Amino acid sequence: MTSKLMAAAAALSLTAGAAAAESHMSPAGNPMVDGVEMMPDMTIVENASNAGNLSTLVAAVQAAGLADTLAGEGPFTVLAPTNDAFAKLDQTQLDDLMKPENQAALAKILTCHVIPGAMNTEELAGQFGNEGGEQELETVGGCMVTIRKDAVKAEGEEHFTITDERGQVAEIMTPDVFQSNGVVHVIDTVLLPAE
């Protein structure tokens, strides 16, 4: 899985070039996650490690052997489930996934949360056009996810959901958290591959 993730990132970097990665640097006012400032000059792993509500994700990334990859150059788009999202899973199943003998299965699930390249919601909105809509994207783990731009929230913000291969719908709770090697969107549900 790690080699597949690195190969996808390398291929994207070759086609998009370094300028594309640089274009995703944070504007002023990067969103905070769990009350912690996310630094645009730090990697996905470094920032996630500082956010208390992403500690289960960080532990899972380490258990799956993906920490070095996600700390690499990228760029990556990571759909980052919170601790509450992981808490929705069966605890016994989650404990089993964290065991060394299940590293491949855990890596499969986690790479279903990674999209090659850096995609922010402005770019997603541009792809959908002004009328909203949806797009199916393939993750690094080979999972197909459907991203939908829903009706505008009362605060005037765009609302995005992600549907996994099992039909579960995750909401993007904190969008556009820019990192040195990509962008993170914090979500409220763990995305799972088809059984």
Side-chain angles (χ1 to χ4, degrees):
M1 282 295 157
T2 301
S3 62
K4 185 174 181 181
L5 184 60
M6 290 169 55
L12 184 79
S13 293
L14 288 174
T15 57
E22 290 174 1
S23 72
H24 298 286
M25 293 304 293
S26 174
N30 210 16
M32 294 177 68
V33 176
D34 198 34
V36 177
E37 188 174 358
M38 297 287 102
M39 306 304 293
D41 60 345
M42 293 172 65
T43 68
I44 291 166
V45 172
E46 290 170 330
N47 274 318
S49 295
N50 291 327
N53 68 342
L54 298 179
S55 61
T56 305
L57 174 63
V58 171
V61 165
Q62 291 170 345
L66 296 174
D68 288 344
T69 302
L70 289 177
E73 185 175 336
F76 309 109
T77 297
V78 175
L79 308 170
T82 63
N83 294 347
D84 288 342
F86 279 101
K88 294 179 187 179
L89 298 176
D90 177 83
Q91 189 60 47
T92 303
Q93 181 184 21
L94 181 58
D95 290 342
D96 284 344
L97 280 170
M98 300 289 266
K99 294 178 180 175
E101 61 267 26
N102 295 320
Q103 186 179 44
L106 180 59
K108 170 71 173 175
I109 290 170
L110 293 176
T111 55
C112 285
H113 293 78
V114 181
I115 299 169
M119 298 181 74
N120 61 35
T121 52
E122 182 178 320
E123 291 166 317
L124 290 174
Q127 290 175 11
F128 295 139
N130 294 329
E131 300 301 316
E134 67 182 45
Q135 176 169 316
E136 192 173 47
L137 296 171
E138 184 173 2
T139 68
V140 170
C143 300
M144 299 304 294
V145 295
T146 303
I147 301 181
R148 289 184 179 84
K149 179 181 175 185
D150 295 329
V152 175
K153 289 183 177 181
E155 307 87 51
E157 296 179 8
E158 295 167 342
H159 180 243
F160 289 85
T161 60
I162 303 156
T163 305
D164 68 13
E165 293 180 337
R166 297 189 188 189
Q168 296 184 115
V169 179
E171 180 179 345
I172 295 180
M173 299 166 42
T174 307
D176 299 335
V177 186
F178 293 89
Q179 326 282 309
S180 65
N181 61 345
V183 61
V184 168
H185 304 288
V186 179
I187 62 175
D188 67 352
T189 302
V190 175
L191 306 173
L192 297 171
E195 293 185 64

